[in-house]
Amino acid sequence: MSPSYILLVEDEHNVSQFIQLELQHEGYEVTVAVNGEQALEYFQKKDWNLILLDWMLPKLDGLEVCRRIRKTSDVPIILLTARDYLGDKIAGLDTGADDYITKPFEIEELLARVRTNLRRNTHERNHSVSDVLQMEDLILDVKKRFVTRAEVRIDLTQREFDLLYFLMQHQGEVISRDRLLSVVWGYDFVGETNIVDVYIRYLRNKVDRNYHPKLIHTVRGVGYVLRSG
């Protein structure tokens, strides 16, 4: 089995060296970039399996690096940040990061998140699925990885796409938050449990807010369901 290639973007030498050694011990191939411009330069040179991206970087900050990468790639991005304010975390996710971890963190938690994101990405590449799913005028094309509603293309992050895809696979079925967390984020996801609600809100803003009928519904005390009306 070929190794997974990870781009680690971190300007603090002691931190990057520690993370690099731990990842290499787990069998990953790791390249370190020390600023935002170097990160984008390295990004162009290889088909990365995952990017660990610090928020506060010289030259270009992590959010701008993430924003530029997302224009051309769905590679999993885990944002490393000392910012623990919820609004900052949401800003990072809105920019296109798939996950975040707040400094200081335990290395076991970081490794768990790396495994989860790599496993999910590999599953998406290898899993055979129907090409197109549809409910009302909402259409999700799995292979082309785009979504339209009323023939208008809707841009989704990778995690938003995964969440909508799972809901569309189970149209009419009430899905619990725990099940969504397990399937979309991975059974060993370590983080705030309200992340499902945050992403449902993202999806509603994009696929429901300006359209009729509303398709994503809350079943109080249970979870969510995709249905017409």
Side-chain angles (χ1 to χ4, degrees):
M1 181 181 296
S2 60
S4 293
Y5 294 98
I6 296 176
L7 177 59
L8 170 60
V9 189
E10 170 62 66
D11 64 315
E12 294 184 38
H13 176 71
N14 291 340
V15 175
S16 65
Q17 186 178 51
F18 172 67
I19 295 175
Q20 182 180 25
L21 289 173
E22 291 291 336
L23 291 170
Q24 289 174 336
H25 181 72
E26 295 295 316
Y28 302 116
E29 294 285 342
V30 183
T31 300
V32 177
V34 298
N35 61 60
E37 290 183 357
Q38 189 177 61
L40 292 175
E41 177 186 343
Y42 287 176
F43 165 70
Q44 298 291 340
K45 294 181 177 180
K46 186 176 290 187
D47 184 17
W48 302 98
N49 298 103
L50 183 137
I51 297 175
L52 291 172
L53 179 61
D54 188 35
W55 183 314
M56 302 301 293
L57 292 169
K59 298 188 177 180
L60 288 175
D61 68 28
L63 289 190
E64 182 60 26
V65 173
C66 182
R67 188 177 295 112
R68 295 190 188 187
I69 289 174
R70 277 292 172 257
K71 291 179 179 179
T72 60
S73 174
D74 286 327
V75 60
I77 297 175
I78 301 177
L79 197 63
L80 311 178
T81 175
R83 300 168 179 260
D84 58 1
Y85 175 58
L86 180 59
D88 289 331
K89 295 175 181 178
I90 291 174
L93 295 170
D94 278 341
T95 303
D98 297 279
D99 201 355
Y100 61 81
I101 184 168
T102 304
K103 296 179 180 180
F105 50 78
E106 298 293 335
I107 191 63
E108 290 81 7
E109 180 182 1
L110 178 62
L111 293 174
R113 291 177 184 245
V114 167
R115 289 193 300 270
T116 297
N117 281 275
L118 286 172
R119 182 170 56 248
R120 176 173 50 79
N121 195 48
T122 300
H123 175 77
E124 288 172 356
R125 292 183 178 182
N126 298 335
H127 189 52
S128 177
V129 294
S130 300
D131 286 354
V132 177
L133 298 174
Q134 182 169 358
M135 169 168 274
E136 295 286 340
D137 56 353
L138 177 65
I139 299 174
L140 182 148
D141 189 305
V142 179
K143 291 190 175 180
K144 294 180 180 179
R145 291 194 69 81
F146 72 76
V147 173
T148 62
R149 183 147 193 202
E151 300 184 352
V152 176
R153 180 155 181 171
I154 299 171
D155 292 325
L156 300 180
T157 67
Q158 183 166 321
R159 190 78 72 178
E160 291 166 353
F161 186 94
D162 295 342
L163 180 57
L164 181 61
Y165 170 56
F166 188 73
L167 290 171
M168 291 190 75
Q169 280 185 306
H170 299 83
Q171 296 179 25
E173 179 182 346
V174 179
I175 309 294
S176 70
R177 290 175 177 81
D178 286 343
R179 187 178 177 195
L180 289 171
L181 191 65
S182 174
V183 172
V184 178
W185 279 263
Y187 71 91
D188 57 358
F189 175 81
V190 181
E192 298 177 28
T193 56
N194 70 344
I195 195 71
V196 174
D197 303 309
V198 170
Y199 270 82
I200 288 290
R201 186 168 72 248
Y202 293 165
L203 278 181
R204 280 179 166 149
N205 285 337
K206 292 183 177 182
V207 306
D208 261 356
R209 185 175 58 183
N210 298 317
Y211 301 95
H212 182 80
K214 305 304 181 188
L215 300 179
I216 302 173
H217 301 272
T218 302
V219 179
R220 194 174 297 248
V222 182
Y224 299 98
V225 59
L226 189 77
R227 64 171 181 245
S228 178

